[in-house]
Amino acid sequence: MNSLRDLQQGETGIIIKVKGRGAFRKRIMEMGFVVGKEVKVIRKAPLKDPVEYEILGYNVSLRNSEADLIEVINSNEQGRLFLNEFDGIVEDEYFRQNSVRKDKIINIAFVGNPNSGKTTLFNLASGSRERVGNYSGVTVDAKTARFRFNDYLINVVDLPGTYSITSYTPEELYVRNYILEEIPDIVVNIIDAGNLERNTYLTTQLIDMDIRVVVALNMFDELQKRGDKIEYKALGNMMGIPMVPTVASKGRGIEELFETIIRVFEDNEPTRRHIHISYGPLIEKAISSIQHKIKVSYNSELTDRVSSRFIAIKLLENDQEEEKRINEQCKNHKEIFRCVARQQERILKNRRETAETLITDAKYGFINGALKETVQPGLYARRRKSEIVDTFLTHKLFGLPLFFGFLWFMFETTFSVGKYPMQWIENGISFLSESLMHTMQAGMLKDLLIDGVLGGIGGVIVFLPNILILFFFISLMEDTGYMARAVFIMDKLMHKIGLHGKSFIPLIMGFGCTVPAIMSTRILENRNDRMITMLINPFISCSARLPIYILFISAFFPNSQGTILFLIYFTGIAVAILAAIILKKTVFKREDVPFVMELPPYRIPTLRSITKHMWEKAWQYLRKIGGVILIASIIIWALGYFPVNQELNETYLQKKQNIEQEYLSSVQLSPQESDSIVHQKLKNEFEYQIGLLEVEKSVEHQENSYIGTLGKTVQPVLAPLGFDWKMTVSIIAGVAAKEIIVSTLGVLYQQGPSRRNTADNSLINKIQTQKYTEGPNQGEFVFNPVVAMSFMVFVLLYFPCIATLMVIIKESGSYKWGVFSLVYTTVVAWLFAFMVYNIGMLIYA
Ligand code: GDP
Ligand code: MG
């Protein structure tokens, strides 16, 4: 067997195999280097790199390192070349008769834990008599054999048994180097099915190496004898590795094993795909920054053969063998090592654990998750501590209620504990605006600062404590390992709507605030799942919408408050589910790939990682407040403030002076000695009148401001839903943040000046009694239960607020999705509100 590199100038060869991996393999095959094709050396100077070849009528140049990975037979030499490689007897006849099948050779390597039955399987397959023993260390070095199976000549090597592929023992090193240097076509991982957890650890390392693996679930008889059940097909699907049950000692399953090997070799096995074991954001970030350093073009000789992800993981684990490899083969090795050291330090600082420990933990988390889902232990199976806890927390009956109980506790605490700091912040804001009120001169700047900046930001910053508390719980759930269990519990349910168990977390968070909820979709690795979760999240009613419901429910549904509120929330959830199903079937149509949900070991969380989590979220939130929300508030304020109407100002100034005059004269009229009660009464009345006047003024001003004009312009669009122009304005204002809707309604519907503690009631009262003053409906009530319902449904579903829109754009990485979300939620809101209004009116009238 020659490599393409061995061909001389002018010689022609036929490709019999393309080695190498991943991107290299794909690229080279796309160039036409596929089995059976003829390739000719066009130009080859001594020591010259790259070399020019002709394939499929094209001339392409390959580096020598690349040509090394392509096996050819020299057209002139025919099949004889095969024989040099092996010491055994392979009949010439075979090659002569099967000249078409010359390329049909598969090199496979057996790896697995000691005593898993490798040698037994090897002997059985090859017909040789290697010594087998029921203790480890019998196989000292590799034995090779070859045999025919169907159309193929199969070369198989029985490697020493190992528990892992680190470089601690000579056996492990041998196995690792064999795989990386010899590049077998298929690695057969022999697993003792009776000891899955320990045996699959090696499998996780093979997954990291990004090579083609087939698993033989050997000793399947032992597993069955114990009464354990395993859904090995599902397990294989999750891991991207085909699995075949075998009983080597009885010769069962061997045919299937080799048939599977051939299917994988021919790229005909749908189960096989390359997956990544997720090591958590911290480690993943470290891996990708190291990979980035390794994957520079002049290192491609290395990365064509060895997965850069594998190297990065091994470097993080301080693996000496891989350090040596980098030292020898990468020019930028110093830079790589610096990067590794930096990342290791970062990990240690953050988690108080070495990268190696965390990686091992994640591997076991992966294994536990995979096995938990696919293996049903028999009656007498051993249970370990973590498993005992798991049987409770992920129990079929108790698991879900326990989880919901915890969620309830989390939300309850979020609000009950959060209300104190919330009060402090509120006080702080009002203190600030009071002081501005008294110290600043009247004018536009003052109005801007008080109404625009403080009013806008103040309404939002009060939620900061809630967000911190919520994130405290979420980090707690993540760090203890409970989150993984929660996801596990919810997975079946979520699958029904085409989502992943992990999507549940962002959806739940959406009840608090959509912004952090959308940020938390980062926990989803699959982009489709992530996008759907992001796009349906705005339908989950966030806490900013609650005041609106409370207002309208108190006004129009006094007898069934709880039911209506539940109905509203339920509508949101139902629409979200519907949207998920539709999005899954249309925009994000793609076959679901099964994957492992990791069940990492339980551990005590560190204060450091939790506070870091909380700080990160707080910082993100503060930045959002300082950015988008500030700008939006100022814009809304300005739209309501301009144009300044001098005439109106003067009229109201006049009216104000009149009232003052009246007050002063009545104070003078009343006798000095008469008790101060009369004076107080007069003063109260005066203040009330002034307040009323100011509201009147602001209403008239609002109506003529840009936002008023905008409201009247847009109103026809919302008229079919039963909205008047004022509701339309509040809907528009609510785009900045839904909290703003209630305050806008308050201003527009002439909420009376505050007579202590009756502010809310008076707004409720105003809405109940509001009538149309003009237009075709003149004299009719603006609101009735149907309009209220239609309004609530619209508020529930329409336009996610600006901040949400911004995170969607940021997290999805494209403006397109922001626009999409804006348009489709508003259309959905319109349709639903239209339905509610029209059907409701039929019933109501
Ligand atoms: P190696 O260390 O991986 O090479 O394992 P061996 O091939 O030496 O096998 C270890 C022991 O397991 C031997 O006693 C085998 O007979 C036994 N064995 C191998 N395969 C099976 C199997 O499928 N079922 C059972 N019950 N025993 C097996
Ligand atoms: Mg052996």
Side-chain angles (χ1 to χ4, degrees):
M1 223 167 312
N2 281 0
S3 85
L4 183 56
R5 189 179 180 173
D6 301 330
L7 289 188
Q8 297 307 311
Q9 182 159 326
E11 279 184 330
T12 311
I14 292 169
I15 297 169
I16 56 172
K17 186 168 293 168
V18 178
K19 292 181 174 182
R21 48 164 296 282
F24 164 77
R25 202 179 149 83
K26 188 155 177 281
R27 182 166 50 84
I28 215 82
M29 291 177 102
E30 278 166 2
M31 283 162 92
F33 289 89
V34 286
V35 171
K37 292 279 177 281
E38 203 177 63
V39 57
K40 187 176 176 189
V41 184
I42 299 297
R43 226 180 314 277
K44 182 176 190 176
L47 298 176
K48 192 160 175 248
D49 198 9
V51 175
E52 202 176 331
Y53 298 95
E54 187 193 288
I55 187 152
L56 298 174
Y58 286 95
N59 284 14
V60 291
S61 60
L62 291 185
R63 287 192 306 264
N64 281 334
S65 65
E66 293 171 330
D68 257 345
L69 295 173
I70 298 169
E71 276 180 18
V72 294
I73 49 166
N74 194 320
S75 312
N76 310 323
E77 277 185 89
Q78 294 302 332
R80 287 231 147 246
L81 281 165
F82 290 99
L83 299 175
N84 305 337
E85 184 85 357
F86 309 119
D87 41 21
I89 316 136
V90 177
E91 312 87 7
D92 268 21
E93 200 58 19
Y94 170 72
F95 287 107
R96 235 169 271 135
Q97 284 172 357
N98 301 286
S99 54
V100 259
R101 295 181 189 152
K102 270 187 213 87
D103 53 310
K104 297 210 156 180
I105 295 182
I106 309 179
N107 298 322
I108 64 179
F110 280 3
V111 302
N113 288 11
N115 232 8
S116 57
K118 291 182 303 301
T119 308
T120 313
L121 198 63
F122 176 86
N123 288 346
L124 194 73
S126 64
S128 70
R129 296 211 170 272
E130 238 353 278
R131 203 148 56 96
V132 298
N134 196 7
Y135 52 93
S136 62
V138 167
T139 314
V140 190
D141 60 352
K143 299 276 178 290
T144 58
R146 89 199 127 264
F147 56 92
R148 280 185 61 187
F149 185 83
N150 295 353
D151 282 352
Y152 284 90
L153 181 68
I154 294 181
N155 294 314
V156 44
V157 50
D158 182 23
L159 293 173
T162 55
Y163 293 108
S164 147
I165 318 184
T166 38
S167 46
Y168 293 133
T169 67
E171 284 85 9
E172 292 178 2
L173 202 57
Y174 188 94
V175 171
R176 163 128 132 237
N177 284 340
Y178 187 89
I179 295 173
L180 295 181
E181 308 290 333
E182 304 293 322
I183 317 180
D185 299 312
I186 310 278
V187 168
V188 178
N189 181 196
I190 289 115
I191 283 179
D192 171 0
N195 204 338
L196 282 168
E197 192 179 357
R198 197 184 63 186
N199 275 257
T200 37
Y201 188 76
L202 180 64
T203 318
T204 62
Q205 292 180 319
L206 296 174
I207 289 174
D208 286 340
M209 292 173 98
D210 184 13
I211 50 177
R212 295 196 283 178
V213 179
V214 172
V215 160
L217 282 173
N218 198 33
M219 312 223 176
F220 209 73
D221 51 340
E222 303 261 313
L223 178 126
Q224 283 172 325
K225 210 166 23 182
R226 282 211 318 243
D228 292 1
K229 285 203 177 70
I230 174 167
E231 294 169 45
Y232 60 89
K233 288 213 171 93
L235 185 63
N237 274 329
M238 276 192 267
M239 293 193 163
I241 298 175
M243 300 199 171
V244 184
T246 58
V247 183
S249 55
K250 297 197 185 103
R252 286 192 344 230
I254 311 301
E255 295 246 327
E256 290 88 332
L257 178 65
F258 282 95
E259 277 160 6
T260 309
I261 291 169
I262 288 172
R263 274 205 305 280
V264 171
F265 180 76
E266 290 176 339
D267 286 322
N268 262 338
E269 171 58 55
T271 310
R272 207 219 86 86
R273 71 202 154 91
H274 177 47
I275 65 160
H276 280 184
I277 294 168
S278 161
Y279 294 105
L282 195 67
I283 304 265
E284 285 297 333
K285 216 176 129 196
I287 292 174
S288 70
S289 38
I290 299 169
Q291 260 183 304
H292 193 70
K293 293 271 185 290
I294 298 173
K295 271 166 97 173
V296 285
S297 59
Y298 49 81
N299 286 340
S300 64
E301 190 169 338
L302 175 65
T303 52
D304 286 349
R305 291 162 177 267
V306 188
S307 152
S308 60
R309 183 177 167 85
F310 174 72
I311 300 175
I313 293 167
K314 283 289 156 197
L315 288 178
L316 278 174
E317 291 177 339
N318 282 326
D319 185 287
Q320 287 172 5
E321 193 58 23
E322 234 41 60
E323 283 169 8
K324 217 169 79 195
R325 197 190 305 276
I326 291 289
N327 228 337
E328 284 164 5
Q329 299 189 28
C330 294
K331 263 185 260 166
N332 62 339
H333 55 90
K334 286 218 177 80
E335 192 191 351
I336 294 172
F337 290 136
R338 263 202 306 279
C339 176
V340 172
R342 212 166 39 238
Q343 295 298 339
Q344 283 174 329
E345 204 176 312
R346 195 171 66 91
I347 291 163
L348 193 64
K349 233 171 74 188
N350 264 296
R351 297 288 299 270
R352 308 255 153 164
E353 293 277 11
T354 59
E356 195 177 357
T357 312
L358 293 172
I359 290 172
T360 307
D361 276 359
K363 282 200 158 89
Y364 275 114
F366 176 87
I367 292 168
N368 284 338
L371 296 184
K372 168 106 186 155
E373 204 163 332
T374 50
V375 179
Q376 234 184 21
L379 218 49
Y380 303 105
R382 281 181 305 129
R383 295 276 159 99
R384 285 200 342 249
K385 245 193 211 155
S386 177
E387 282 170 14
I388 290 171
V389 180
D390 264 355
T391 30
F392 279 103
L393 290 184
T394 63
H395 189 270
K396 263 189 217 130
L397 291 176
F398 310 134
L400 217 55
L402 226 68
F403 176 51
F404 281 116
F406 180 79
L407 284 185
W408 176 85
F409 177 76
M410 177 170 97
F411 285 123
E412 185 58 28
T413 315
T414 303
F415 286 104
S416 62
V417 175
K419 73 177 180 232
Y420 300 103
M422 199 167 173
Q423 194 61 51
W424 303 335
I425 294 177
E426 244 167 32
N427 290 346
I429 295 279
S430 64
F431 172 77
L432 224 74
S433 65
E434 289 277 318
S435 5
L436 285 182
M437 192 83 92
H438 294 304
T439 51
M440 279 187 75
Q441 265 188 348
M444 201 177 84
L445 186 65
K446 181 176 178 174
D447 291 340
L448 169 70
L449 283 181
I450 294 176
D451 298 333
V453 177
L454 281 180
I457 285 184
V460 190
I461 202 172
V462 293
F463 294 114
L464 183 62
N466 295 345
I467 288 184
L468 282 180
I469 296 170
L470 203 64
F471 271 95
F472 169 78
F473 279 106
I474 287 177
S475 336
L476 203 66
M477 275 169 77
E478 272 178 357
D479 290 2
T480 51
Y482 183 58
M483 183 75 99
R485 271 78 186 176
V487 166
F488 195 89
I489 299 168
M490 286 307 298
D491 195 58
K492 275 224 170 65
L493 233 60
M494 297 303 284
H495 266 314
K496 294 223 158 69
I497 61 168
L499 285 176
H500 176 225
K502 280 185 184 170
S503 301
F504 187 64
I505 305 296
L507 292 180
I508 282 295
M509 287 178 65
F511 285 118
C513 175
T514 318
V515 173
I518 285 176
M519 292 193 296
S520 76
T521 58
R522 286 184 200 165
I523 58 174
L524 292 157
E525 286 108 34
N526 175 314
R527 182 170 161 86
N528 275 10
D529 281 346
R530 206 177 156 205
M531 286 306 305
I532 296 176
T533 311
M534 220 182 272
L535 290 172
I536 65 171
N537 215 309
F539 292 136
I540 302 293
S541 189
C542 71
S543 59
R545 291 167 235 188
L546 190 58
I548 305 157
Y549 307 146
I550 292 178
L551 175 70
F552 282 93
I553 290 174
S554 319
F556 297 103
F557 303 96
N559 299 326
S560 45
Q561 297 189 339
T563 318
I564 298 289
L565 191 62
F566 176 80
L567 215 68
I568 295 278
Y569 273 85
F570 182 78
T571 307
I573 297 168
V575 174
I577 291 174
L578 209 70
I581 293 172
I582 293 172
L583 284 172
K584 182 89 188 174
K585 292 228 162 101
T586 55
V587 191
F588 299 102
K589 207 163 27 180
R590 210 185 66 177
E591 192 94 21
D592 253 341
V593 284
F595 59 95
V596 172
M597 278 179 294
E598 301 84 7
L599 287 182
Y602 289 103
R603 51 165 76 232
I604 311 274
T606 63
L607 193 66
R608 191 193 163 85
S609 89
I610 288 185
T611 43
K612 190 169 163 273
H613 243 99
M614 286 169 69
W615 167 243
E616 265 171 18
K617 297 299 160 203
W619 182 235
Q620 271 170 343
Y621 194 64
L622 287 173
R623 273 216 315 251
K624 167 189 140 191
I625 290 172
V628 191
I629 295 193
L630 178 62
I631 292 165
S633 304
I634 291 175
I635 290 173
I636 294 279
W637 169 83
L639 285 177
Y641 192 81
F642 293 110
V644 177
N645 188 336
Q646 211 52 48
E647 211 174 307
L648 186 85
N649 285 350
E650 267 156 32
T651 325
Y652 275 94
L653 198 65
Q654 192 61 49
K655 282 187 186 167
K656 196 175 169 187
Q657 277 164 359
N658 291 346
I659 293 172
E660 269 169 0
Q661 212 70 56
E662 220 172 287
Y663 168 64
L664 287 177
S665 53
S666 44
V667 168
Q668 264 153 24
L669 274 179
S670 63
Q672 272 296 316
E673 55 276 16
S674 83
D675 51 353
S676 56
I677 292 172
V678 178
H679 275 253
Q680 194 56 46
K681 246 187 172 166
L682 281 171
K683 188 155 180 267
N684 283 352
E685 185 55 30
F686 164 70
E687 275 172 0
Y688 177 68
Q689 291 295 336
I690 290 288
L692 205 60
L693 192 72
E694 253 156 28
V695 171
E696 245 171 63
K697 178 185 166 191
S698 88
V699 167
E700 200 175 333
H701 179 81
Q702 279 268 17
E703 235 184 300
N704 296 308
S705 71
Y706 292 124
I707 209 167
T709 320
L710 191 64
K712 287 184 172 162
T713 319
V714 177
Q715 199 261 338
V717 181
L718 299 184
L721 315 181
F723 300 176
D724 71 346
W725 76 265
K726 293 176 186 181
M727 291 159 81
T728 308
V729 167
S730 74
I731 289 283
I732 295 170
V735 159
K738 296 203 173 173
E739 292 97 328
I740 297 172
I741 293 178
V742 170
S743 56
T744 310
L745 286 174
V747 175
L748 293 178
Y749 286 117
Q750 301 187 43
Q751 182 182 348
S754 74
R755 282 179 159 169
R756 298 285 159 222
N757 299 331
T758 59
D760 285 345
N761 288 336
S762 88
L763 180 55
I764 289 174
N765 191 27
K766 289 286 172 196
I767 324 187
Q768 282 169 335
T769 55
Q770 195 74 25
K771 286 184 179 170
Y772 282 103
T773 52
E774 51 184 23
N777 301 330
Q778 194 170 355
E780 282 173 33
F781 284 114
V782 173
F783 290 98
N784 58 40
V786 179
V787 175
M789 201 66 197
S790 156
F791 190 73
M792 285 191 285
V793 167
F794 192 83
V795 167
L796 166 74
L797 301 176
Y798 91 110
F799 196 106
C801 67
I802 293 258
T804 303
L805 206 64
M806 290 297 166
V807 254
I808 290 181
I809 290 170
K810 189 163 162 271
E811 297 293 322
S812 68
S814 140
Y815 276 90
K816 203 179 73 183
W817 290 117
V819 174
F820 175 79
S821 164
L822 186 163
V823 172
Y824 105 98
T825 52
T826 308
V827 168
V828 165
W830 197 93
L831 290 175
F832 271 81
F834 183 78
M835 259 168 12
V836 167
Y837 182 66
N838 284 287
I839 296 171
M841 276 322 253
L842 282 181
I843 299 165
Y844 186 70

